[in-house]
PDB file of all heavy atoms in Angstrom:
ATOM      1  N   PRO S  68      21.583   7.522  72.682  1.00 96.00           N
ATOM      2  CA  PRO S  68      21.973   8.851  73.163  1.00 96.00           C
ATOM      3  C   PRO S  68      23.479   8.904  73.451  1.00 96.00           C
ATOM      4  O   PRO S  68      24.095   7.894  73.814  1.00 96.00           O
ATOM      5  CB  PRO S  68      21.163   9.019  74.442  1.00 96.00           C
ATOM      6  CG  PRO S  68      20.024   8.067  74.307  1.00 96.00           C
ATOM      7  CD  PRO S  68      20.557   6.898  73.542  1.00 96.00           C
ATOM      8  N   GLU S 186      17.020  38.433  53.099  1.00 92.00           N
ATOM      9  CA  GLU S 186      16.731  39.131  54.342  1.00 92.00           C
ATOM     10  C   GLU S 186      16.648  38.150  55.494  1.00 92.00           C
ATOM     11  O   GLU S 186      17.096  38.433  56.611  1.00 92.00           O
ATOM     12  CB  GLU S 186      15.405  39.899  54.212  1.00 92.00           C
ATOM     13  CG  GLU S 186      15.099  40.783  55.418  1.00 92.00           C
ATOM     14  CD  GLU S 186      13.869  41.643  55.188  1.00 92.00           C
ATOM     15  OE1 GLU S 186      13.674  42.094  54.035  1.00 92.00           O
ATOM     16  OE2 GLU S 186      13.116  41.867  56.146  1.00 92.00           O
ATOM     17  N   GLY S 219      23.258  15.996  54.083  1.00 92.00           N
ATOM     18  CA  GLY S 219      21.801  15.949  53.957  1.00 92.00           C
ATOM     19  C   GLY S 219      21.086  15.557  55.227  1.00 92.00           C
ATOM     20  O   GLY S 219      19.864  15.653  55.312  1.00 92.00           O
ATOM     21  N   VAL S 223      18.269  22.330  61.058  1.00 97.00           N
ATOM     22  CA  VAL S 223      17.974  23.618  60.439  1.00 97.00           C
ATOM     23  C   VAL S 223      18.299  24.739  61.427  1.00 97.00           C
ATOM     24  O   VAL S 223      17.937  24.662  62.606  1.00 97.00           O
ATOM     25  CB  VAL S 223      16.487  23.704  60.016  1.00 97.00           C
ATOM     26  CG1 VAL S 223      16.209  25.043  59.334  1.00 97.00           C
ATOM     27  CG2 VAL S 223      16.119  22.551  59.085  1.00 97.00           C
ATOM     28  N   ASP S 301      50.648  12.949  44.899  1.00 84.00           N
ATOM     29  CA  ASP S 301      49.756  13.887  45.565  1.00 84.00           C
ATOM     30  C   ASP S 301      50.146  15.326  45.250  1.00 84.00           C
ATOM     31  O   ASP S 301      51.331  15.640  45.053  1.00 84.00           O
ATOM     32  CB  ASP S 301      49.789  13.693  47.083  1.00 84.00           C
ATOM     33  CG  ASP S 301      49.214  12.358  47.515  1.00 84.00           C
ATOM     34  OD1 ASP S 301      48.394  11.803  46.756  1.00 84.00           O
ATOM     35  OD2 ASP S 301      49.587  11.878  48.599  1.00 84.00           O
ATOM     36  N   ARG S 303      50.924  18.868  46.508  1.00 76.00           N
ATOM     37  CA  ARG S 303      51.407  19.387  47.790  1.00 76.00           C
ATOM     38  C   ARG S 303      51.506  20.915  47.798  1.00 76.00           C
ATOM     39  O   ARG S 303      51.844  21.506  48.812  1.00 76.00           O
ATOM     40  CB  ARG S 303      52.769  18.781  48.123  1.00 76.00           C
ATOM     41  CG  ARG S 303      52.737  17.254  48.243  1.00 76.00           C
ATOM     42  CD  ARG S 303      54.145  16.717  48.484  1.00 76.00           C
ATOM     43  NE  ARG S 303      54.186  15.268  48.495  1.00 76.00           N
ATOM     44  CZ  ARG S 303      54.003  14.502  49.553  1.00 76.00           C
ATOM     45  NH1 ARG S 303      53.722  15.069  50.720  1.00 76.00           N
ATOM     46  NH2 ARG S 303      54.080  13.197  49.479  1.00 76.00           N
ATOM     47  N   LEU S 335      63.776  16.347  23.089  1.00 87.00           N
ATOM     48  CA  LEU S 335      65.011  17.120  23.129  1.00 87.00           C
ATOM     49  C   LEU S 335      66.167  16.375  22.479  1.00 87.00           C
ATOM     50  O   LEU S 335      66.973  16.949  21.738  1.00 87.00           O
ATOM     51  CB  LEU S 335      65.342  17.481  24.576  1.00 87.00           C
ATOM     52  CG  LEU S 335      66.582  18.347  24.799  1.00 87.00           C
ATOM     53  CD1 LEU S 335      66.469  19.675  24.045  1.00 87.00           C
ATOM     54  CD2 LEU S 335      66.773  18.607  26.288  1.00 87.00           C
ATOM     55  N   ALA S 375      45.488  29.334  34.703  1.00 94.00           N
ATOM     56  CA  ALA S 375      46.899  29.475  35.069  1.00 94.00           C
ATOM     57  C   ALA S 375      47.721  29.611  33.794  1.00 94.00           C
ATOM     58  O   ALA S 375      47.363  29.067  32.740  1.00 94.00           O
ATOM     59  CB  ALA S 375      47.376  28.285  35.888  1.00 94.00           C
ATOM     60  N   VAL S 384      71.794  23.545  25.690  1.00 92.00           N
ATOM     61  CA  VAL S 384      72.567  22.551  24.949  1.00 92.00           C
ATOM     62  C   VAL S 384      73.962  23.109  24.716  1.00 92.00           C
ATOM     63  O   VAL S 384      74.121  24.271  24.327  1.00 92.00           O
ATOM     64  CB  VAL S 384      71.885  22.197  23.611  1.00 92.00           C
ATOM     65  CG1 VAL S 384      72.761  21.280  22.767  1.00 92.00           C
ATOM     66  CG2 VAL S 384      70.533  21.562  23.862  1.00 92.00           C
ATOM     67  N   GLY S 390      82.432  24.615  23.048  1.00 89.00           N
ATOM     68  CA  GLY S 390      81.976  25.173  24.318  1.00 89.00           C
ATOM     69  C   GLY S 390      80.826  26.144  24.180  1.00 89.00           C
ATOM     70  O   GLY S 390      80.385  26.737  25.185  1.00 89.00           O
ATOM     71  N   HIS S 392      76.963  27.547  23.651  1.00 92.00           N
ATOM     72  CA  HIS S 392      75.676  27.128  24.200  1.00 92.00           C
ATOM     73  C   HIS S 392      74.539  27.637  23.322  1.00 92.00           C
ATOM     74  O   HIS S 392      74.669  28.664  22.634  1.00 92.00           O
ATOM     75  CB  HIS S 392      75.480  27.696  25.615  1.00 92.00           C
ATOM     76  CG  HIS S 392      76.589  27.391  26.561  1.00 92.00           C
ATOM     77  ND1 HIS S 392      76.765  26.159  27.145  1.00 92.00           N
ATOM     78  CD2 HIS S 392      77.609  28.169  27.013  1.00 92.00           C
ATOM     79  CE1 HIS S 392      77.834  26.179  27.937  1.00 92.00           C
ATOM     80  NE2 HIS S 392      78.363  27.398  27.867  1.00 92.00           N
ATOM     81  N   VAL S 395      67.098  25.542  23.689  1.00 91.00           N
ATOM     82  CA  VAL S 395      66.093  24.767  22.965  1.00 91.00           C
ATOM     83  C   VAL S 395      64.820  24.763  23.793  1.00 91.00           C
ATOM     84  O   VAL S 395      64.832  24.400  24.976  1.00 91.00           O
ATOM     85  CB  VAL S 395      66.571  23.322  22.712  1.00 91.00           C
ATOM     86  CG1 VAL S 395      65.471  22.520  21.986  1.00 91.00           C
ATOM     87  CG2 VAL S 395      67.857  23.321  21.902  1.00 91.00           C
ATOM     88  N   GLY S 470      38.417  11.330  21.229  1.00 97.00           N
ATOM     89  CA  GLY S 470      38.164  10.127  22.011  1.00 97.00           C
ATOM     90  C   GLY S 470      36.956  10.322  22.915  1.00 97.00           C
ATOM     91  O   GLY S 470      36.536  11.450  23.178  1.00 97.00           O
ATOM     92  N   LEU S 537      32.352  -8.527  41.513  1.00 98.00           N
ATOM     93  CA  LEU S 537      32.503  -9.376  40.325  1.00 98.00           C
ATOM     94  C   LEU S 537      32.911  -8.459  39.170  1.00 98.00           C
ATOM     95  O   LEU S 537      32.204  -7.504  38.849  1.00 98.00           O
ATOM     96  CB  LEU S 537      31.195 -10.101  39.989  1.00 98.00           C
ATOM     97  CG  LEU S 537      30.555 -10.900  41.146  1.00 98.00           C
ATOM     98  CD1 LEU S 537      29.221 -11.466  40.687  1.00 98.00           C
ATOM     99  CD2 LEU S 537      31.480 -12.008  41.590  1.00 98.00           C
ATOM    100  N   ARG S 541      36.931  -5.877  28.991  1.00 97.00           N
ATOM    101  CA  ARG S 541      37.218  -6.105  27.584  1.00 97.00           C
ATOM    102  C   ARG S 541      38.109  -4.988  27.048  1.00 97.00           C
ATOM    103  O   ARG S 541      38.157  -3.898  27.610  1.00 97.00           O
ATOM    104  CB  ARG S 541      35.931  -6.147  26.751  1.00 97.00           C
ATOM    105  CG  ARG S 541      35.002  -7.295  27.054  1.00 97.00           C
ATOM    106  CD  ARG S 541      33.812  -7.325  26.105  1.00 97.00           C
ATOM    107  NE  ARG S 541      34.225  -7.621  24.753  1.00 97.00           N
ATOM    108  CZ  ARG S 541      34.332  -8.864  24.264  1.00 97.00           C
ATOM    109  NH1 ARG S 541      34.046  -9.904  25.034  1.00 97.00           N
ATOM    110  NH2 ARG S 541      34.698  -9.057  23.020  1.00 97.00           N
ATOM    111  N   GLY S 601      45.837  -9.776  54.598  1.00 98.00           N
ATOM    112  CA  GLY S 601      45.147  -9.381  55.814  1.00 98.00           C
ATOM    113  C   GLY S 601      45.878  -8.284  56.546  1.00 98.00           C
ATOM    114  O   GLY S 601      47.022  -7.950  56.238  1.00 98.00           O
ATOM    115  N   SER S 649      57.515   3.150  59.972  1.00 97.00           N
ATOM    116  CA  SER S 649      56.912   2.187  59.034  1.00 97.00           C
ATOM    117  C   SER S 649      58.006   1.498  58.251  1.00 97.00           C
ATOM    118  O   SER S 649      58.948   2.153  57.748  1.00 97.00           O
ATOM    119  CB  SER S 649      55.965   2.917  58.074  1.00 97.00           C
ATOM    120  OG  SER S 649      55.449   2.024  57.111  1.00 97.00           O
ATOM    121  N   VAL S 659      57.030 -10.609  35.081  1.00 96.00           N
ATOM    122  CA  VAL S 659      57.270 -10.428  33.646  1.00 96.00           C
ATOM    123  C   VAL S 659      56.802  -9.036  33.240  1.00 96.00           C
ATOM    124  O   VAL S 659      55.697  -8.613  33.611  1.00 96.00           O
ATOM    125  CB  VAL S 659      56.535 -11.490  32.813  1.00 96.00           C
ATOM    126  CG1 VAL S 659      56.800 -11.275  31.317  1.00 96.00           C
ATOM    127  CG2 VAL S 659      56.974 -12.889  33.222  1.00 96.00           C
ATOM    128  N   TRP S 745      54.660  28.411  62.806  1.00 93.00           N
ATOM    129  CA  TRP S 745      54.114  29.250  63.878  1.00 93.00           C
ATOM    130  C   TRP S 745      52.995  30.094  63.286  1.00 93.00           C
ATOM    131  O   TRP S 745      53.218  30.948  62.435  1.00 93.00           O
ATOM    132  CB  TRP S 745      55.203  30.130  64.473  1.00 93.00           C
ATOM    133  CG  TRP S 745      54.672  31.128  65.480  1.00 93.00           C
ATOM    134  CD1 TRP S 745      53.647  30.966  66.348  1.00 93.00           C
ATOM    135  CD2 TRP S 745      55.165  32.459  65.710  1.00 93.00           C
ATOM    136  NE1 TRP S 745      53.437  32.089  67.115  1.00 93.00           N
ATOM    137  CE2 TRP S 745      54.369  33.025  66.746  1.00 93.00           C
ATOM    138  CE3 TRP S 745      56.188  33.219  65.158  1.00 93.00           C
ATOM    139  CZ2 TRP S 745      54.588  34.320  67.216  1.00 93.00           C
ATOM    140  CZ3 TRP S 745      56.410  34.513  65.615  1.00 93.00           C
ATOM    141  CH2 TRP S 745      55.616  35.034  66.640  1.00 93.00           C
ATOM    142  N   PHE S 747      51.035  32.895  63.995  1.00 88.00           N
ATOM    143  CA  PHE S 747      51.066  33.964  64.995  1.00 88.00           C
ATOM    144  C   PHE S 747      49.778  34.785  65.034  1.00 88.00           C
ATOM    145  O   PHE S 747      49.600  35.579  65.940  1.00 88.00           O
ATOM    146  CB  PHE S 747      52.299  34.869  64.784  1.00 88.00           C
ATOM    147  CG  PHE S 747      52.454  35.397  63.389  1.00 88.00           C
ATOM    148  CD1 PHE S 747      51.853  36.573  63.001  1.00 88.00           C
ATOM    149  CD2 PHE S 747      53.246  34.726  62.474  1.00 88.00           C
ATOM    150  CE1 PHE S 747      52.013  37.073  61.744  1.00 88.00           C
ATOM    151  CE2 PHE S 747      53.415  35.226  61.192  1.00 88.00           C
ATOM    152  CZ  PHE S 747      52.796  36.397  60.816  1.00 88.00           C
ATOM    153  N   SER S 771      72.662  -6.060  49.385  1.00 91.00           N
ATOM    154  CA  SER S 771      71.942  -5.905  50.645  1.00 91.00           C
ATOM    155  C   SER S 771      71.380  -4.497  50.768  1.00 91.00           C
ATOM    156  O   SER S 771      71.803  -3.563  50.062  1.00 91.00           O
ATOM    157  CB  SER S 771      72.874  -6.181  51.826  1.00 91.00           C
ATOM    158  OG  SER S 771      73.870  -5.169  51.922  1.00 91.00           O
TER     159      SER S 771
END
Side-chain angles (χ1 to χ4, degrees):
E186 186 173 324
V223 182
D301 293 336
R303 300 176 185 272
L335 182 58
V384 174
H392 306 284
V395 178
L537 308 176
R541 295 185 67 88
S649 176
V659 180
W745 174 34
F747 52 88
S771 68

